[in-house]
């Protein structure tokens, strides 16, 4: 198909089927049946098998008419592409459709208290029951967004301690609403509680819920992580479409509000470069040559990073695999956030520390200063990103290998 035939077909289908008075589930079941909700997915799994560039043509037609699309969040952005790549047909049948309709939401059970940056060092264990039908899971997960309302978790657990650490991990779809799964919110120093810790005490997961082969979870996890940045695009598209009147719009606004709730402080986490010039002018600091120089450096860095992100997006639209731009973008996001924090402090002085209604911009500047450090940690620390860039982009030697060939039970680690 070419772009014009895709445009004509999706337009005709929308005119015949879209109604904002449908419930969200009714409408998304139509999307699943037609394949227009996930046009890049295979035809046999609710898609059309289109290239990313042709899928974008279909998305443009949805936006023109204001039709609601598939949900944002970890289900569509992370779980679904992982299941499509590595899941069995049985899992695809049981899980994918309810992700498309938004009936099941997902969270990511990866990080642990003793294994954040070194994710392969995880110690949550899954042991096969005597009858071989299910695994019994024990351990603790951390920094889990949306765990308090998710139906399923993308769980990494160790199923073999006698092989090197990357080979003994299995990836499961874990039902969250069951005995043995306890979710507790984590309060952050900026006042928000965007994440949870999850305790797994004899939780159960069917053996049939393994995504990919047993012991091959590390490969499956890499597939999920490769889709992580795209999940934000899915989220933004979902937020843009929720502007009309009618039942489908109302339900999507409620859905988007729930999904977006953990991210309300993310603009502050990124440093709010958009406030810099306005603040400098309002405080008179725009006349200070030192401040002006720092602002110029910051804005130049931000613009260059924005262009790099556009290059990455264009490559993805052209169907090319993720390149080094992703790691560079993450690393420079940290640089920009820290630069913003420094410039906000130069402009505002000690008042930058005042929080609440008494602080500059009703405490937004103070919230920026305490939120910015999170950028350098979340989604892979700056040190991890530098390692990736040095090894995969610059071709430098890898770190000394001290534990990747030992059986995991012999690897020294923190005692809990």
């Amino acid at each position: 198909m070419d772009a014009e035939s895709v445009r004509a077909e999706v337009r005709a289908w929308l005119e015949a089927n879209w109604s904002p008075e449908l419930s969200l589930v009714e409408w998304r079941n139509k999307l699943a049946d037609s394949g227009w909700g996930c046009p890049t997915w295979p035809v046999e799994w609710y898609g059309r098998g289109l290239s990313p560039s042709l899928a974008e043509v279909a998305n443009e037609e949805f936006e023109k008419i204001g039709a609601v699309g598939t949900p944002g969040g970890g289900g569509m952005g992370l779980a679904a592409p992982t299941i499509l790549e590595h899941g069995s047909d049985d899992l695809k049948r049981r899980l994918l459709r309810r992700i498309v309709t938004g009936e099941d939401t997902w969270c990511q059970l990866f990080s642990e208290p003793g294994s954040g940056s070194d994710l392969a060092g995880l110690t949550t264990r899954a042991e096969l029951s005597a009858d071989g039908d299910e695994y019994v899971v024990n351990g603790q997960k951390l920094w889990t967004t949306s765990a308090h309302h998710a139906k399923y978790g993308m769980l990494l657990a160790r199923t073999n301690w006698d092989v090197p650490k990357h080979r003994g991990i299995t990836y499961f779809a874990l039902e969250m609403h069951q005995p043995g799964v306890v979710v507790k919110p984590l309060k952050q120093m900026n006042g928000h509680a965007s994440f949870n810790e999850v305790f797994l005490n004899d939780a159960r997961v069917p053996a049939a819920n393994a995504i990919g082969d047993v012991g091959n979870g590390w490969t499956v996890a890499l597939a999920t992580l490769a889709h992580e940045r795209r999940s934000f695009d899915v989220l933004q598209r979902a937020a843009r479409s929720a502007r009309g009147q009618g039942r489908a719009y109302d339900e999507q606004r409620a859905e988007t509000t729930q999904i977006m709730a953990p991210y309300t402080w993310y603009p502050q986490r990124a440093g709010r470069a958009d406030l810099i010039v306005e603040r400098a002018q309002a405080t008179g600091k725009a006349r200070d040559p030192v401040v002006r120089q720092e602002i110029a450096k910051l804005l130049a860095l931000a613009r260059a990073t924005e262009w790099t992100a556009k290059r990455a997006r264009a490559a993805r639209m052209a169907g090319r695999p993720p390149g080094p731009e992703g790691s560079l973008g993450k690393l420079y996001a940290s640089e920009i956030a820290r630069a913003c924090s420094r410039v906000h402090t130069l402009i505002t002085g000690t008042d930058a520390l005042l929080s609440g209604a008494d602080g500059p911009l009703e405490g937004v500047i103070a919230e920026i200063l305490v939120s910015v450090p999170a950028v350098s940690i979340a989604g892979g620390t700056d040190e991890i990103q530098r390692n990736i860039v040095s090894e995969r982009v610059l071709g430098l030697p890898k770190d000394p290998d001290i534990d990747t060939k030992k059986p995991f039970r012999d690897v020294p680690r923190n005692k809990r």
Side-chain angles (χ1 to χ4, degrees):
M1 297 181 77
D2 60 20
E4 286 313 305
S5 60
V6 168
R7 196 178 299 283
E9 188 171 342
V10 70
R11 187 182 300 161
W13 185 85
L14 283 169
E15 288 172 354
N17 290 279
W18 163 241
S19 167
E21 298 308 321
L22 292 169
S23 76
L24 208 49
V25 171
E26 287 172 335
W27 167 239
R28 285 176 174 160
N29 271 308
K30 285 177 176 280
L31 292 179
D33 291 337
S34 69
W36 286 121
C38 322
T40 59
W41 289 17
V43 173
E44 62 270 31
W45 300 115
Y46 317 115
R48 288 266 171 167
L50 298 183
S51 67
S53 58
L54 288 178
E56 192 57 30
V57 172
N59 291 334
E60 288 170 7
E61 292 304 308
F62 271 68
E63 291 192 8
K64 277 183 191 173
I65 201 171
V68 170
T70 51
M76 281 299 294
L78 301 177
T82 304
I83 295 167
L84 280 169
E85 287 180 33
H86 295 279
S88 64
D89 284 355
D90 170 57
L91 278 175
K92 290 172 186 171
R93 253 189 311 274
R94 285 194 284 126
L95 300 177
L96 286 177
R97 189 180 187 99
R98 289 178 63 87
I99 293 175
V100 174
T101 61
E103 291 170 277
D104 289 346
T105 57
W106 287 65
C107 64
Q108 187 188 65
L109 299 169
F110 280 16
S111 295
E112 298 185 3
S115 61
S117 295
D118 181 20
L119 181 59
L122 63 89
T123 57
T124 290
R125 63 174 67 220
E127 296 173 302
L128 195 59
S129 61
D131 59 14
D133 288 341
E134 62 183 5
Y135 283 84
V136 181
V137 184
N138 284 281
Q140 182 185 353
K141 297 293 179 178
L142 202 62
W143 310 124
T144 309
T145 307
S146 301
H148 56 293
H149 63 79
K151 174 73 181 301
Y152 282 97
M154 293 164 262
L155 171 71
L156 288 181
R158 189 163 300 282
T159 48
N160 189 343
W161 295 65
D162 296 318
V163 296
K165 63 180 182 180
H166 291 91
R167 290 166 42 197
I169 298 169
T170 301
Y171 195 125
F172 296 99
L174 175 80
E175 283 204 51
M176 296 291 288
H177 300 160
Q178 62 163 299
V181 177
V182 177
V183 179
K184 294 184 177 179
L186 286 167
K187 191 71 175 286
Q188 303 150 212
M189 66 179 177
N190 60 7
H192 296 273
S194 304
F195 311 105
N196 302 279
E197 52 187 343
V198 180
F199 297 91
L200 303 163
N201 304 307
D202 290 337
R204 307 281 169 151
V205 57
N209 276 22
I211 301 176
D213 294 333
V214 172
N216 195 38
W218 183 250
T219 300
V220 186
L222 292 180
T224 302
L225 295 172
H227 290 287
E228 192 153 12
R229 186 156 292 277
R230 184 179 175 277
S231 69
F232 287 100
D233 294 342
V234 174
L235 200 57
Q236 289 169 349
R237 189 186 295 277
R240 281 201 303 272
S241 65
R243 293 172 181 162
Q245 298 298 318
R247 182 178 177 182
Y249 289 120
D250 291 342
E251 291 181 6
Q252 195 204 17
R253 273 190 284 272
E255 175 188 78
T256 303
T257 297
Q258 183 185 54
I259 294 172
M260 295 295 289
Y263 307 104
T264 52
W265 60 285
Y266 273 37
Q268 278 66 267
R269 187 179 84 162
R272 297 300 302 267
D274 59 306
L275 297 177
I276 295 285
V277 173
E278 180 185 337
R279 285 283 302 156
Q281 291 170 338
T283 58
K285 287 288 187 178
R287 294 188 294 274
D288 184 322
V290 173
V291 173
R292 290 172 66 88
Q293 188 175 38
E294 291 301 312
I295 291 174
K297 286 193 290 189
L298 166 62
L299 296 184
L301 184 62
R303 183 59 59 88
T305 303
E306 179 186 333
W307 288 339
T308 301
K310 286 183 177 178
R311 281 176 52 207
R313 195 172 301 120
R316 195 167 58 241
M317 295 296 295
R320 292 198 290 273
E325 298 91 348
S327 291
L328 291 171
K330 172 70 174 62
L331 193 55
Y332 274 94
S334 297
E335 295 287 340
I336 291 168
R338 281 194 294 270
C340 284
S341 188
R342 187 169 61 251
V343 175
H344 276 303
T345 306
L346 273 175
I347 292 171
T348 307
T350 53
D351 283 355
L353 296 174
L354 295 175
S355 61
D358 293 335
L361 297 183
E362 297 189 334
V364 169
I365 301 299
E367 187 177 328
I368 292 169
L369 299 189
V370 295
S371 299
V372 156
V375 179
S376 300
I377 302 170
T381 64
D382 287 359
E383 290 75 15
I384 293 291
Q385 302 304 330
R386 288 194 178 94
N387 268 358
I388 291 172
V389 171
S390 65
E391 294 172 7
R392 300 182 190 175
V393 180
L394 302 177
L396 296 178
K398 293 193 173 194
D399 276 350
D401 186 355
I402 59 172
D403 61 7
T404 59
K405 294 179 181 174
K406 293 180 181 175
F408 186 70
R409 67 172 67 251
D410 295 335
V411 174
R413 54 189 176 274
N414 295 332
K415 301 291 184 185
R416 292 173 51 198

